[in-house]
Amino acid sequence: MLGVGAVFLKEVRTEWRTRVALSGVGLFVVGALVLLGLGLKQAKLDRLTPGALVWVLALFTAATGLGRAFVQEAERGTALALRLYASPNAVWLGKFAFNAVLLLVLNLLTAPVLFSLLELDLASVNVGILCCVLGMGTLAIAAVFTTMAALVAQTTARGGLLAALAFPLLVPAFQAGLNGTKAALGIGLEGVKSSAWQVAGADLAMLSLYTAAAVLLSLWLFDFIWND
Amino acid sequence: MRKELKIGIGLWMVAGLAYVFLKLPAAKFFADPELARIVALHLPCAYVAVTASWMSAWHGWKYLQKRELIDDARSASGAGLALLFCALTTATGSIFAYVQWGSFWNWDPRETSVFLLMLIYCAYFVLRSSIEDIEKRGAICAVFGLFVAVMTPLLGYVIPKYLMSLHPTNTKFDSSYRTAIYLGILPPLLGMMFWIQNIALRLDRARLALEEVDYN
């Protein structure tokens, strides 16, 4: 477990030296928000649309920002040193932790901005549910993207392929997250006996199951691509 | 593959198709009762697609253990077959959906799942073509194939919870439909799957042998 923290700290430090990923993906998010705000300025949106756009934006942010994790090791020639130093599981978990934290910060910042840009009444949002669902969904996205980034880093295509591999696999998490967001926005709760938390609880359970499966599977399979 | 086996598969397929088109009764509860027979072709395609997907993952696992390139070739041809039969399932399903529900695409959960599986295997082949080193390519593709095989049952389990299903669950099919699907079409279709894989493998063996000649 010591290795995991060390790999995570190494990721943070190398990122902090250049801040390329952070500024790149940060500017991507700002640009996307401007485009969404401008494009939907005069559209009459229902309450569900901002909720769905948060998830679409989260997936695109991941596709933009999380691909670098293993590419830079290959480019700088540091993969071998990391291989000697840490176990494959520690490497995967450290990278996953870094990706998850990066994505979590971005998503928790963009969601309220997007909601206010699209003129959703912020007071009517159940913040607790939204944070839980978005947090859990972010873990699922980060887990799948970390493994797919490790695969893509070995190819000549790199850029475009990451989203093609990860998006279809992430559809179950997307569906569950979207349903939980609906509960946080109070959609579809009329005439339902259970409370918003109970409705979202089923989605949270689904997201946890998905994330656990993705993490365990990644830990099992990562050895084969890392030690080649 | 033995010649007798090929003839057997062909005859079985002809007999199965004849049963579907001549013997199977039109189903009364469908919008177009005559067209309900497509179910007997649609369902086996989906089963074969899932079988091919598991076969691909299994050979991928064997490749990771033993690192023999022929296992990678088997895994790749399994993925290709999964892609083919996903496409067939989507096509037959769309025709039926158009007649039954008036639209080629309804976001039906199972329909969506099969389509996503098709997308995943398309991505598999893009991944494959973007890796030059054949041994590395085998390992990467095997890992992706295994990831897919474990995560996609979640598609089938999770998505139906969120998208409303149009698939008939309470309608009763005539028992002859079961005969047509499980005895008439599914066995020869599985046979055809192995047959196609056999041809693909002979091609791959020849390719691998050629590469060895190049090395020496």
Side-chain angles (χ1 to χ4, degrees), chain A residues 68-87:
Chain A
R68 287 174 41 83
F70 293 95
V71 173
Q72 59 180 17
E73 304 285 354
E75 277 172 359
R76 291 179 190 154
T78 49
L80 192 65
L82 197 57
R83 217 169 280 162
L84 287 172
Y85 170 75
S87 71

Side-chain angles (χ1 to χ4, degrees), chain A residues 24-195:
Chain A
V25 76
L27 284 172
F28 165 81
V29 169
V30 174
L33 284 172
V34 169
L35 288 179
L36 282 171
L38 271 177
L40 299 170
K41 192 170 50 155
Q42 280 152 342
K44 286 211 169 16
L45 304 174
D46 56 3
R47 286 175 64 78
L48 181 58
T49 315
L53 283 175
V54 162
W55 285 95
V56 174
L57 191 56
L59 282 168
F60 276 86
T61 309
T64 317
L66 304 192
R68 287 174 41 83
F70 293 95
V71 173
Q72 59 180 17
E73 304 285 354
E75 277 172 359
R76 291 179 190 154
T78 49
L80 192 65
L82 197 57
R83 217 169 280 162
L84 287 172
Y85 170 75
S87 71
N89 283 353
V91 172
W92 189 86
L93 283 170
K95 299 247 179 202
F96 164 65
F98 178 74
N99 282 343
V101 169
L102 180 71
L103 205 57
L104 202 61
V105 171
L106 286 167
N107 286 344
L108 290 179
L109 286 177
T110 51
V113 177
L114 188 64
F115 283 168
S116 44
L117 269 178
L118 301 178
E119 290 170 0
L120 187 90
D121 182 16
L122 282 177
S124 68
V125 179
N126 188 329
V127 180
I129 295 181
L130 187 70
C131 286
C132 285
V133 171
L134 209 53
M136 206 62 222
T138 304
L139 288 185
I141 294 172
V144 171
F145 265 97
T146 306
T147 305
M148 293 304 131
L151 295 181
V152 169
Q154 314 253 6
T155 68
T156 50
R158 288 181 187 173
L161 200 48
L162 186 61
L165 295 181
F167 281 1
L169 283 170
L170 273 165
V171 166
F174 177 76
Q175 286 284 341
L178 201 57
N179 212 49
T181 310
K182 270 190 193 164
L185 298 176
I187 301 164
L189 293 174
E190 304 85 12
V192 181
K193 275 185 192 147
S194 41
S195 70

Side-chain angles (χ1 to χ4, degrees), chain B residues 5-16:
Chain B
L5 209 55
K6 291 182 196 169
I7 293 172
I9 291 170
L11 287 176
W12 197 336
M13 196 56 163
V14 170

Side-chain angles (χ1 to χ4, degrees), chain A residues 154-156 179 203 206 228, chain B residues 67 126 130 136 161-162:
Chain A
Q154 314 253 6
T155 68
T156 50
N179 212 49
D203 301 316
M206 194 74 85
D228 244 14
Chain B
R67 305 278 166 164
V126 181
S130 67
K136 200 200 248 175
K161 281 194 152 22
Y162 296 111

Side-chain angles (χ1 to χ4, degrees), chain B residues 69 134 137 205-216:
Chain B
L69 284 170
I134 45 172
R137 180 171 69 197
R205 278 217 177 84
R207 261 194 215 120
L208 287 175
L210 262 181
E211 259 157 35
E212 243 161 57
V213 171
D214 281 349
Y215 269 129
N216 295 336

Side-chain angles (χ1 to χ4, degrees), chain B:
Chain B
M1 196 178 244
R2 286 177 58 138
K3 199 176 174 190
E4 295 84 356
L5 209 55
K6 291 182 196 169
I7 293 172
I9 291 170
L11 287 176
W12 197 336
M13 196 56 163
V14 170
L17 284 172
Y19 185 84
V20 168
F21 285 106
L22 302 175
K23 191 78 186 10
L24 214 56
K28 289 191 191 80
F29 41 83
F30 282 103
D32 185 339
E34 298 292 328
L35 193 93
R37 292 189 183 95
I38 203 171
V39 171
L41 303 176
H42 169 66
L43 223 56
C45 281
Y47 291 148
V48 174
V50 173
T51 312
S53 156
W54 284 342
M55 198 170 69
S56 169
W58 166 245
H59 288 301
W61 171 240
K62 275 208 315 207
Y63 175 78
L64 288 178
Q65 297 298 308
K66 292 190 217 147
R67 305 278 166 164
E68 275 167 26
L69 284 170
I70 195 67
D71 283 327
D72 174 50
R74 284 196 183 104
S75 177
S77 61
L81 284 161
L83 183 59
L84 172 71
F85 281 96
C86 278
L88 286 173
T89 311
T90 309
T92 48
S94 281
I95 296 168
F96 184 69
Y98 180 68
V99 177
Q100 182 75 8
W101 303 301
S103 161
F104 282 111
W105 192 253
N106 295 290
W107 291 112
D108 174 87
R110 284 187 233 176
E111 188 109 70
T112 311
S113 306
V114 168
F115 181 71
L116 285 171
L117 199 58
M118 193 167 93
L119 273 188
I120 286 170
Y121 280 109
C122 286
Y124 175 96
F125 282 103
V126 181
L127 180 69
R128 225 182 144 69
S129 64
S130 67
I131 307 169
E132 305 260 317
D133 183 319
I134 45 172
E135 276 165 14
K136 200 200 248 175
R137 180 171 69 197
I140 303 266
C141 288
V143 166
F144 183 66
L146 278 165
F147 204 91
V148 168
V150 179
M151 291 310 271
T152 43
L154 278 170
L155 281 178
Y157 175 69
V158 175
I159 293 181
K161 281 194 152 22
Y162 296 111
L163 298 172
M164 219 180 53
S165 179
L166 292 165
H167 267 85
T169 47
N170 51 356
T171 42
K172 283 197 190 77
F173 278 100
D174 192 278
S175 66
S176 57
Y177 270 83
R178 198 166 291 156
T179 317
I181 290 169
Y182 293 108
L183 260 173
I185 302 294
L186 187 57
L189 210 57
L190 278 173
M192 269 172 71
M193 182 190 82
F194 285 114
W195 189 351
I196 298 173
Q197 204 199 17
N198 194 271
I199 295 170
L201 270 184
R202 268 155 60 197
L203 201 63
D204 282 319
R205 278 217 177 84
R207 261 194 215 120
L208 287 175
L210 262 181
E211 259 157 35
E212 243 161 57
V213 171
D214 281 349
Y215 269 129
N216 295 336

Side-chain angles (χ1 to χ4, degrees), chain A residues 12-35:
Chain A
V12 174
R13 272 200 209 108
T14 47
E15 173 53 33
W16 193 248
R17 264 178 223 150
T18 58
R19 292 184 282 276
V20 172
L22 205 60
S23 46
V25 76
L27 284 172
F28 165 81
V29 169
V30 174
L33 284 172
V34 169
L35 288 179

